[in-house]
Amino acid sequence: MSVFDDPGLFGRLWAAGYDDGGTNPDPAPAVDFLADLADGGPVLELAIGTGRVALPLAERGLAVHGVEASEEMLAQLRAKPGGDQIPVVVADMADVPVAGEFRLAYLVFNTLFNLVDAERQADCFRNVARVLSPGGAFVIETFVPDPRSFDSDEQVQVRAVTEDSATIRLHRYDRPAQRFIRQTITFDVDGVHLKPFAMRYAWPHQIDEMAQQAGLRLTERYADWHRRPFQADSPSHISVYRAE
């Protein structure tokens, strides 16, 4: 199945070493920010993954629920202390297949862009709006696309070279669709190993439009989890949308 239409593919390929990856940010600032907004809960995390944010929130006494497309990611969560106490629905996060009203829902670490179709991103906002309590918050964290980094439609990077293996990463961009596919390829004595990944990126004003169409309004925007002011050159944003 294509990386563009299999919501669980990322988890199947990356779950085993996900928490060990050096690119994963420290979740503590996000946890502090979200706990302040939770207003006692309950809380919903879309793409809950291995529980890097959900578990610390639960440790603060919040009732955390999750949606996750990957059984492999969920297994990593369940193996952690307290992980078996968090109710998780295995499904595409865009469908938000949960009931009840939540004071807070959140989608962090660029994961909105893992929905590689614009309509599915819009579906996610509509379905989150359906399960938020009046005045409830939906928090999004994403990078701000920088066209200067798309210096060519195709990019090749050398990631690692040893005596026994070599890893390269290739990107191909589809600018009209605001999408890219990335392939990480490792060559070693056991053969060739592929780890595909894709994103559909969007600028903040486009995300605001999706939220507005879903009946959510932007109330706060920051450059990072420490609430530094968002500026025109900020590389990322934390946006808080509220249910009407």
Side-chain angles (χ1 to χ4, degrees), residues 134-149:
F138 184 29
V139 178
I140 295 289
E141 177 196 17
T142 74
F143 64 83
V144 178
D146 182 358
R148 292 173 299 179
S149 68

Side-chain angles (χ1 to χ4, degrees), residues 11 37 93 122 130 143 170 182 188 193 195 199 206-207:
L37 285 183
M93 64 182 174
R130 172 178 52 80
F143 64 83
L170 302 93
R182 185 183 79 197
D188 61 24
H193 312 275
K195 286 188 174 181
M199 277 188 166
Q206 294 176 316
I207 299 173

Side-chain angles (χ1 to χ4, degrees), residues 43-59:
V43 171
L44 174 66
E45 179 171 3
L46 301 179
I48 195 170
T50 63
R52 294 169 58 246
V53 174
L55 286 170
L57 285 175
E59 290 171 358

Side-chain angles (χ1 to χ4, degrees), residues 27-46 48 51-65 77 81-82 86 104-108 139 225:
V31 171
D32 289 340
F33 183 104
L34 295 168
D36 287 344
L37 285 183
D39 193 25
V43 171
L44 174 66
E45 179 171 3
L46 301 179
I48 195 170
R52 294 169 58 246
V53 174
L55 286 170
L57 285 175
E59 290 171 358
R60 298 189 184 200
L62 293 169
V64 181
H65 301 248
L77 168 62
I86 296 178
L104 171 69
Y106 59 93
L107 188 52
V108 297
V139 178
W225 293 112

Side-chain angles (χ1 to χ4, degrees), residues 31-145:
V31 171
D32 289 340
F33 183 104
L34 295 168
D36 287 344
L37 285 183
D39 193 25
V43 171
L44 174 66
E45 179 171 3
L46 301 179
I48 195 170
T50 63
R52 294 169 58 246
V53 174
L55 286 170
L57 285 175
E59 290 171 358
R60 298 189 184 200
L62 293 169
V64 181
H65 301 248
V67 176
E68 174 57 51
S70 165
E71 294 275 10
E72 291 79 4
M73 282 286 194
L74 184 55
Q76 297 290 321
L77 168 62
R78 295 294 189 227
K80 297 179 179 180
D84 59 347
Q85 302 301 309
I86 296 178
V88 179
V89 177
V90 179
D92 188 334
M93 64 182 174
D95 295 327
V96 193
V98 295
E101 293 188 337
F102 294 91
R103 292 301 301 163
L104 171 69
Y106 59 93
L107 188 52
V108 297
F109 305 143
N110 305 315
T111 313
L112 174 66
F113 296 165
N114 289 4
L115 297 168
V116 294
D117 180 83
E119 184 58 33
R120 291 301 281 161
Q121 292 178 355
D123 287 343
C124 184
F125 275 89
R126 285 193 292 267
N127 285 316
V128 166
R130 172 178 52 80
V131 301
L132 284 179
S133 61
F138 184 29
V139 178
I140 295 289
E141 177 196 17
T142 74
F143 64 83
V144 178

Side-chain angles (χ1 to χ4, degrees), residues 144 204 221-224 227-232 234-238:
V144 178
R221 172 164 287 148
Y222 304 102
D224 56 32
R227 292 185 168 85
R228 295 186 179 96
F230 178 79
Q231 299 176 336
S234 295
S236 62
H237 66 104
I238 314 297

